[in-house]
Amino acid sequence: MSDFSTSTHRSKWILSPQDLMEKRTVANDGAIKMLEQYGTTRVDVDIDGTVSYPEPVFDLNSTAEINTNKKPLSFEEEQYMRVFYEQKIQEVCAAFKFPHKIQATSLIYFKRFYLMWSVMQQHPKNIMLTCIYASCKVEENHVSAEELGKGIQQDHLPILHNEMLVLQSLGFDLIVFAPYRSINGFVDDLEESGEVRHGDQEKLKETAFKEADKIMLTDAPLLFPPGQLALAALRRSNEINKIIDFERYLDTIISRKNSVYSIAEISDLLSSIDYMVDQLEIPTTKDMKPIDKKLKICLAHDDSKKKERKSKRSKRTASEM
């Protein structure tokens, strides 16, 4: 079984807030520059993962201008788009009754993908399905692309077409760690130590899983290790159910594991995760309509130059008749 302490998840994909902001800013800025230079943000992808960019809007012989109606998505609008489709990942996984591990793996793949790309370059609707498909394969709960597409009434071909692009964007780092396994471990530990009765154990765990689902929609999985995510979910569950003395249990864990953190430091980290959950805004379909409209315009190819060339050819042909 893989160990988080020696994993690429720990060494490469737990970021500082500054690194996270920088990666997303670079992706957003890159898409904006594409829109200025090419008149579109769409990056075409071959099935082998090869990407190709459109031709620049301007050349020496062209008087075509960029479509001024094309406004790029702001940093905040990209965030809304990601959160909206992350929730869709949870809905699709629930509809297929996939285990939490697959849901979490899909979400982490999706989050990592959009550290490398802007949503203006690859539409999240397609990428989310490929992330689910890839996570099912990695977690050995295989569902064919055809089944996945049919189950949500979507064409399955983009799922396969984007697979190599997704894997390449993840650096082929496909083993990820989610908080749910740690939640199970903590709750089992509480029962063995006599801190919680069996009936209360299930209530504590069930609520903790629900709180972990909320946490997975925030940036926390990119900033904190899964054990801390699990403790945050467990603390939030206990605040609802009031079953254990959480501070005493936290002290027990820290003493037993010789943690480099003090109780106060761990509590602050968990409070940071709480803050992310409390600040989480999940946009509705209505909220997404104007953003999705902007995205579709950004992804559309600008045909102004083609029309100009066609017009020139037509005039030349007419003059020769």
Side-chain angles (χ1 to χ4, degrees), residues 117-164:
W117 297 92
S118 163
V119 301
M120 289 184 277
Q121 295 168 313
Q122 300 294 333
H123 201 299
K125 179 178 69 175
N126 298 324
I127 298 302
M128 76 161 190
L129 296 176
T130 302
C131 288
I132 295 171
Y133 176 65
S135 66
C136 285
K137 292 171 72 173
V138 169
E139 298 301 333
E140 299 181 348
N141 191 17
H142 184 61
V143 174
S144 71
E146 290 85 352
E147 289 177 278
L148 187 57
K150 184 178 179 181
I152 56 174
Q153 299 180 327
Q154 295 286 339
D155 183 5
H156 74 279
L157 292 178
I159 298 174
L160 298 172
H161 194 85
N162 289 317
E163 183 177 11
M164 186 54 66

Side-chain angles (χ1 to χ4, degrees), residues 43-52 160-165 168:
V43 178
D44 292 324
V45 182
D46 290 333
I47 197 166
D48 64 357
T50 303
V51 299
S52 56
L160 298 172
H161 194 85
N162 289 317
E163 183 177 11
M164 186 54 66
L165 174 69
Q168 289 175 345

Side-chain angles (χ1 to χ4, degrees), residues 59-119:
D59 62 38
L60 294 176
N61 299 316
S62 173
T63 59
E65 295 183 357
I66 295 176
N67 183 349
T68 55
N69 290 326
K70 290 193 173 186
K71 303 297 183 184
L73 270 64
S74 67
F75 189 92
E76 292 73 22
E77 286 172 331
E78 287 215 47
Q79 176 71 9
Y80 273 123
M81 182 70 71
R82 288 192 300 268
V83 171
F84 180 80
Y85 281 101
E86 285 174 9
Q87 186 190 40
K88 291 297 180 186
I89 287 175
Q90 290 185 335
E91 290 177 0
V92 172
C93 289
F96 277 88
K97 295 182 169 53
F98 290 148
H100 273 89
K101 176 62 174 171
I102 288 177
Q103 172 188 292
T105 300
S106 304
L107 282 168
I108 292 173
Y109 285 177
F110 186 87
K111 289 175 184 291
R112 291 180 183 180
F113 180 88
Y114 283 109
L115 296 178
M116 306 298 152
W117 297 92
S118 163
V119 301

Side-chain angles (χ1 to χ4, degrees), residues 8-275:
T8 56
H9 187 149
R10 182 178 183 273
S11 64
K12 294 173 61 177
W13 296 102
I14 300 296
L15 309 176
S16 68
Q18 295 78 15
D19 287 341
L20 178 58
M21 178 69 72
E22 181 180 355
K23 286 180 181 294
R24 287 179 173 166
T25 300
V26 167
N28 181 259
D29 288 347
I32 291 173
K33 288 177 182 176
M34 274 192 67
L35 191 61
E36 293 171 350
Q37 185 175 1
Y38 302 125
T40 180
T41 58
R42 192 172 80 189
V43 178
D44 292 324
V45 182
D46 290 333
I47 197 166
D48 64 357
T50 303
V51 299
S52 56
Y53 294 86
E55 294 181 3
V57 171
F58 297 109
D59 62 38
L60 294 176
N61 299 316
S62 173
T63 59
E65 295 183 357
I66 295 176
N67 183 349
T68 55
N69 290 326
K70 290 193 173 186
K71 303 297 183 184
L73 270 64
S74 67
F75 189 92
E76 292 73 22
E77 286 172 331
E78 287 215 47
Q79 176 71 9
Y80 273 123
M81 182 70 71
R82 288 192 300 268
V83 171
F84 180 80
Y85 281 101
E86 285 174 9
Q87 186 190 40
K88 291 297 180 186
I89 287 175
Q90 290 185 335
E91 290 177 0
V92 172
C93 289
F96 277 88
K97 295 182 169 53
F98 290 148
H100 273 89
K101 176 62 174 171
I102 288 177
Q103 172 188 292
T105 300
S106 304
L107 282 168
I108 292 173
Y109 285 177
F110 186 87
K111 289 175 184 291
R112 291 180 183 180
F113 180 88
Y114 283 109
L115 296 178
M116 306 298 152
W117 297 92
S118 163
V119 301
M120 289 184 277
Q121 295 168 313
Q122 300 294 333
H123 201 299
K125 179 178 69 175
N126 298 324
I127 298 302
M128 76 161 190
L129 296 176
T130 302
C131 288
I132 295 171
Y133 176 65
S135 66
C136 285
K137 292 171 72 173
V138 169
E139 298 301 333
E140 299 181 348
N141 191 17
H142 184 61
V143 174
S144 71
E146 290 85 352
E147 289 177 278
L148 187 57
K150 184 178 179 181
I152 56 174
Q153 299 180 327
Q154 295 286 339
D155 183 5
H156 74 279
L157 292 178
I159 298 174
L160 298 172
H161 194 85
N162 289 317
E163 183 177 11
M164 186 54 66
L165 174 69
V166 168
L167 298 180
Q168 289 175 345
S169 300
L170 301 178
F172 295 94
D173 295 329
L174 304 180
I175 304 301
V176 304
F177 295 79
Y180 303 99
R181 179 183 166 198
S182 295
I183 290 172
N184 282 329
F186 286 135
V187 174
D188 289 345
D189 183 45
L190 282 165
E191 186 180 27
E192 289 174 6
S193 65
E195 292 279 343
V196 60
R197 297 187 302 272
H198 180 72
D200 289 337
Q201 172 202 32
E202 291 304 315
K203 184 189 299 183
L204 189 67
K205 181 165 67 175
E206 181 180 347
T207 308
F209 270 42
K210 291 179 180 177
E211 293 302 313
D213 286 346
K214 297 176 187 176
I215 290 171
M216 291 301 296
L217 294 177
T218 72
D219 287 336
L222 296 171
L223 300 170
F224 299 91
Q228 291 176 11
L229 302 180
L231 282 173
L234 191 63
R235 187 171 78 166
R236 292 176 68 85
S237 172
N238 190 60
E239 288 172 353
I240 295 170
N241 295 301
K242 297 182 172 27
I243 292 173
I244 63 172
D245 184 338
F246 187 83
E247 292 300 316
R248 185 174 69 181
Y249 179 61
L250 196 58
D251 185 33
T252 301
I253 294 174
I254 291 173
S255 301
R256 189 189 309 161
K257 298 192 177 218
N258 297 316
S259 173
V260 296
Y261 297 106
S262 67
I263 291 182
E265 288 170 331
I266 286 287
S267 294
D268 285 345
L269 292 173
L270 303 188
S271 294
S272 296
I273 298 171
D274 281 344
Y275 179 79

